Amino acid sequence: MSTLEIHNLHASVETDGGESEILRGVDLTVSSGQTHAVMGPNGSGKSTLAYVIAGHPKYKVTDGTITLDGANVLEMSVDERARAGLFLAMQYPVEIPGVSVSNFLRTSATAVRGEAPKLRLWIKEVKESMAALSMDPSFADRSVNEGFSGGEKKRHEILQLELLKPKIAVLDETDSGLDVDALRIVSEGVNRFQADGTTGTLLITHYTRILRYIHPDFVHVFVDGRIVESGGPELATQLEEHGYERFAKAGSGA
């Protein structure tokens, strides 16, 4: 069982006008067996939270802590965070020309597991996961994300999730750009990842449509760099019906 704890997290980014604070005191705990949905309007800092957890060098943490099972995440490099059990599915997955999907996946699995997977078992594992995500087996020989559609890139992110089996998965707007069929397939992959109850998920999204497939235990409203309200799944229903306006007013007055 694992726990990601975020306490009083502040982070800023350098702009042409100087340093700009984006995260303004985030408190959040995600444990194994839990799915947390973070929802908020554009520009509220949701994606910044994801990238700060992962260790993006663009952002500077100015206060607060992030720990994973008691270990100080902020003292870890990006690759150390991944090996420790943190996973980020990016909103805009990058292309890596010249690196095949199969090599990328096996190298990543070797780094996380501490040894190279036995080839015969690994090939079977990859084929089964690709089939469950309705991915053509030929994608294994293509360069990572190169020429992939938006939906294909997101399926590849979930393929990584299923094969690497992190302790905590941070999914940054995984639903963006997906049609109805792709949304269902990707959501089913996330649910398979969560099925045994040993992992936790932090799902960042604008919309409630993905929550029809992935049912959160907790919903957090994120406005102006902080969580302004938390609740159960019913909070997502309120957001769908009434939007973020009253929460935005509460955030600006905090």
Side-chain angles (χ1 to χ4, degrees):
M1 303 297 286
S2 295
T3 300
L4 175 71
E5 291 188 82
I6 301 169
H7 177 65
N8 192 36
L9 184 65
H10 292 251
S12 61
V13 65
E14 195 66 36
T15 68
D16 292 339
E19 195 170 279
S20 176
E21 187 176 45
I22 300 177
L23 302 183
R24 306 169 184 270
V26 179
D27 291 289
L28 183 63
T29 299
V30 181
S31 298
S32 297
Q34 297 178 347
T35 298
H36 291 249
V38 172
M39 306 182 68
N42 285 325
S44 59
K46 303 185 306 298
S47 290
T48 296
L49 175 62
Y51 289 125
V52 168
I53 293 170
H56 196 300
K58 175 181 177 181
Y59 302 100
K60 177 183 177 183
V61 174
T62 56
D63 199 2
T65 59
I66 305 176
T67 61
L68 178 63
D69 298 335
N72 188 346
V73 170
L74 297 178
E75 291 183 348
M76 301 178 188
S77 62
V78 173
D79 60 303
E80 286 172 339
R81 297 181 196 206
R83 287 197 295 270
L86 290 175
F87 177 91
L88 172 64
M90 294 182 286
Q91 182 179 0
Y92 303 109
V94 298
E95 297 182 2
I96 311 178
V99 179
S100 70
V101 168
S102 59
N103 284 340
F104 174 78
L105 291 171
R106 193 159 189 258
T107 300
S108 299
T110 299
V112 169
R113 300 179 186 185
E115 61 181 6
K118 296 190 181 302
L119 193 56
R120 183 183 300 176
L121 296 175
W122 174 249
I123 291 174
K124 180 176 183 289
E125 192 177 351
V126 172
K127 284 184 175 179
E128 288 177 349
S129 291
M130 291 184 76
L133 289 164
S134 299
M135 294 182 70
D136 190 309
S138 66
F139 275 73
D141 299 320
R142 294 174 59 178
S143 293
V144 173
N145 292 326
E146 190 172 33
F148 287 24
S149 69
E152 288 164 348
K153 289 179 179 179
K154 296 302 177 71
R155 294 186 201 202
H156 181 222
E157 294 279 279
I158 303 307
L159 177 63
Q160 296 171 47
L161 177 66
E162 290 198 71
L163 293 172
L164 298 179
K165 299 177 175 60
K167 296 176 180 177
I168 303 290
V170 181
L171 310 181
D172 184 22
E173 299 197 32
T174 297
D175 52 338
S176 66
L178 296 183
D179 61 28
V180 174
D181 291 331
L183 177 64
R184 175 183 53 79
I185 291 168
V186 163
S187 299
E188 288 172 352
V190 175
N191 288 333
R192 283 194 299 274
F193 164 73
Q194 277 280 75
D196 65 2
T198 63
T199 56
T201 300
L202 178 59
L203 177 65
I204 294 171
T205 183
H206 288 296
Y207 308 110
T208 59
R209 64 177 193 150
I210 195 171
L211 303 185
R212 299 168 191 164
Y213 301 95
I214 301 172
H215 304 295
D217 302 292
F218 305 95
V219 174
H220 310 278
V221 183
F222 206 86
V223 174
D224 196 27
R226 60 173 70 88
I227 292 171
V228 296
E229 187 159 338
S230 297
E234 71 284 349
L235 185 52
T237 303
Q238 294 176 31
L239 292 172
E240 186 169 35
E241 293 176 353
H242 305 293
Y244 296 108
E245 185 176 1
R246 77 174 178 90
F247 298 105
K249 290 178 179 177
S252 62

